[in-house]
Amino acid sequence: MRPLARTATAALCTVTALGPTAACDTFFDDARSAAPYARLTGPEVVNKALAATRGAKSVRMTVETTSPEGPVEAFVATDVRGECTVTLSMGAAGTMELVRTGGTVYTLSDAAMLHSAPASQARKLTGRWVKPATGDRHAKLAERYCDRETFLGLLAPKSGTAHKGRATAPGSGTPAMTVTGGTDDGKWTADIATDGRPFLLKLRLPRSGAGHGTDPVTVDFSAFDKPFTAAKPKT
């Protein structure tokens, strides 16, 4: 909004005896959106967040979704070199640890995660670090979570529907703006940092496309640019 137009709108909202109007609500929402995003559209804010989050040297993610096997929760640390660690829990299906370092993947599974394997193989593999078999679908899912683009790529095509919301402070406590949008899949929301670089802090999508394809997903992003070590496990 141009300066003169903003002044006129503010004056109208102040003197009108008819109470708040849609125009007044829009004006004050825009004013409250403040620096650094006051002059940006919703799609522009989302695109800045995508660029900043993609550019982070490292990031940690907490992923929550569901699958036919029950609730899914993953704790991920990953960096631009491809180094990655994942702890993946899949309801009654069990838990898997994954480490990717130097381009090689290693996994450690509990007995529940190996329930579909032959009994002799399950006994041999339970609690041991191994290089997973090519067709191990749980290992494939866990490794897919190593790539932040698995989730950022789901938001990117929806950015054109973005509308700026009000200030918030998600679980991280970092000042943020909530941006919302909607597609045929439903409503999505994203919390974007307003202090420092415009990192994406929280993403909620009605349909994930990640893992099992149609389940809602929530991703918390944190620890941007903080180094970590993906140590090669003893096999």
Side-chain angles (χ1 to χ4, degrees), residues 120-151:
S120 59
Q121 184 179 11
R123 286 194 298 269
K124 181 179 179 181
L125 298 179
T126 297
R128 292 185 54 194
W129 284 102
V130 298
K131 295 180 181 179
T134 303
D136 189 326
R137 62 189 181 89
H138 292 139
K140 285 184 177 181
L141 175 60
E143 187 178 9
R144 191 175 179 209
Y145 286 176
C146 285
D147 186 358
R148 70 193 82 173
E149 193 61 28
T150 295
F151 307 103

Side-chain angles (χ1 to χ4, degrees), residues 154-177:
L154 298 175
L155 176 60
K158 305 178 191 296
S159 64
T161 68
H163 296 279
K164 295 189 294 183
R166 301 191 179 192
T168 185
S172 65
T174 302
M177 171 188 288

Side-chain angles (χ1 to χ4, degrees), residues 19-199:
T21 66
C24 294
D25 290 342
T26 300
F27 170 78
F28 285 117
D29 279 348
D30 182 61
R32 278 191 292 267
S33 67
Y37 306 136
R39 296 182 180 274
L40 299 180
T41 66
E44 288 172 337
V45 174
V46 172
N47 290 334
K48 284 179 69 69
L50 288 169
T53 307
R54 284 171 173 145
K57 294 179 181 179
S58 61
V59 64
R60 294 182 184 271
M61 299 181 289
T62 300
V63 183
E64 295 181 347
T65 184
T66 57
S67 78
E69 296 168 296
V72 176
E73 188 172 40
F75 300 95
V76 184
T78 183
D79 67 16
V80 294
R81 301 170 299 166
E83 302 288 283
C84 178
T85 63
V86 182
T87 300
L88 175 68
S89 298
M90 300 186 66
T95 299
M96 169 182 285
E97 302 278 345
L98 179 144
V99 172
R100 186 173 70 190
T101 182
T104 301
V105 172
Y106 307 89
T107 60
L108 182 151
S109 302
D110 64 11
M113 187 66 81
L114 295 167
H115 72 281
S116 60
S120 59
Q121 184 179 11
R123 286 194 298 269
K124 181 179 179 181
L125 298 179
T126 297
R128 292 185 54 194
W129 284 102
V130 298
K131 295 180 181 179
T134 303
D136 189 326
R137 62 189 181 89
H138 292 139
K140 285 184 177 181
L141 175 60
E143 187 178 9
R144 191 175 179 209
Y145 286 176
C146 285
D147 186 358
R148 70 193 82 173
E149 193 61 28
T150 295
F151 307 103
L152 301 182
L154 298 175
L155 176 60
K158 305 178 191 296
S159 64
T161 68
H163 296 279
K164 295 189 294 183
R166 301 191 179 192
T168 185
S172 65
T174 302
M177 171 188 288
T178 296
V179 179
T180 62
T183 67
D184 291 342
D185 292 337
K187 180 181 178 181
W188 60 266
T189 64
D191 294 335
I192 297 169
T194 55
D195 184 15
R197 295 177 64 186
F199 290 124

